Amino acid sequence: MHIIKVIAVVAAALSLSACGSKFRTYNGPEVTRVYVDKSERRMYLIHHDRVLKQYPIQLGFAPAGHKQFEGDGRTPEGHYLIDKRNPNSKFHLSVGISYPNENDIARALAMGRDPGGDIFIHGGPQRGSSANAKSDWTWGCIAVSDREMEHIYAMVRDNTPIYIAP
């Protein structure tokens, strides 16, 4: 009888831990592009011409204009690709954006600056952080809630085009 109780407790613990996983599955239509509207603070996951999901976003702490160089606090604008995934991001989960491209590098170098990099779509600020989840707080990334990031991470594949509009 004791062994049955132990098995039941272990089974319950395993099923609960699976519910708490940050890794979700997605079996719906392919996300063929991501569209970010900086002025509206919205991100759209799109399958051809149909919006599958949309999310409110936070941006770099100096959101107006295209990212010029490392440390300017701006979020890039233009055409890029989702180019990497980070399951161990300090911001829950993240997917990388292929900034800087050749034009970004040339523009920054012409100013004698480093273009920067490591631009991601990622989860919200860490618990205990002074960042306000309702205002722009990143160093140029695009932030969503942790729960939203779990869905984005499952839905968006590497090499998906992303357009970031002013």
Side-chain angles (χ1 to χ4, degrees):
M1 187 67 156
H2 178 57
I3 199 96
I4 293 173
K5 286 182 183 179
V6 170
I7 292 172
V9 168
V10 169
L14 288 174
S15 66
L16 286 176
S17 68
C19 293
S21 175
K22 64 183 178 179
F23 299 105
R24 298 185 180 272
T25 57
Y26 175 71
N27 296 316
E30 173 189 15
V31 174
T32 56
R33 64 189 168 104
V34 176
Y35 180 82
V36 174
D37 187 327
K38 287 173 55 174
S39 65
E40 296 293 325
R41 301 296 192 276
R42 304 290 297 175
M43 178 171 53
Y44 303 88
L45 306 186
I46 301 169
H47 173 73
H48 298 298
D49 60 353
R50 187 179 83 182
V51 174
L52 299 172
K53 294 277 187 180
Q54 61 178 294
Y55 303 99
I57 59 171
Q58 292 91 43
L59 301 168
F61 63 83
H66 177 60
K67 183 164 195 61
Q68 300 291 312
F69 52 84
E70 182 174 35
D72 67 4
R74 293 181 177 158
T75 301
E77 297 171 355
H79 293 277
Y80 298 95
L81 293 173
I82 299 300
D83 66 348
K84 58 188 160 280
R85 310 169 82 62
N86 184 354
N88 300 311
S89 170
K90 68 180 180 178
F91 299 105
H92 193 57
L93 293 168
S94 62
V95 293
I97 297 172
S98 64
Y99 174 89
N101 61 29
E102 289 180 15
N103 292 334
D104 298 321
I105 294 168
R107 186 180 308 110
L109 291 177
M111 294 187 292
R113 305 295 295 263
D114 183 329
D118 287 335
I119 302 297
F120 287 85
I121 301 169
H122 60 65
Q126 295 177 309
R127 295 193 198 309
S129 165
S130 62
N132 181 338
K134 296 192 185 298
S135 65
D136 295 320
W137 59 273
T138 76
W139 283 87
C141 295
I142 298 165
V144 296
S145 75
D146 289 352
R147 180 174 289 270
E148 292 165 341
M149 191 62 226
E150 291 171 5
H151 293 282
I152 294 164
Y153 194 87
M155 293 176 73
V156 178
R157 298 282 147 241
D158 288 358
N159 297 312
T160 300
I162 179 170
Y163 180 70
I164 305 169

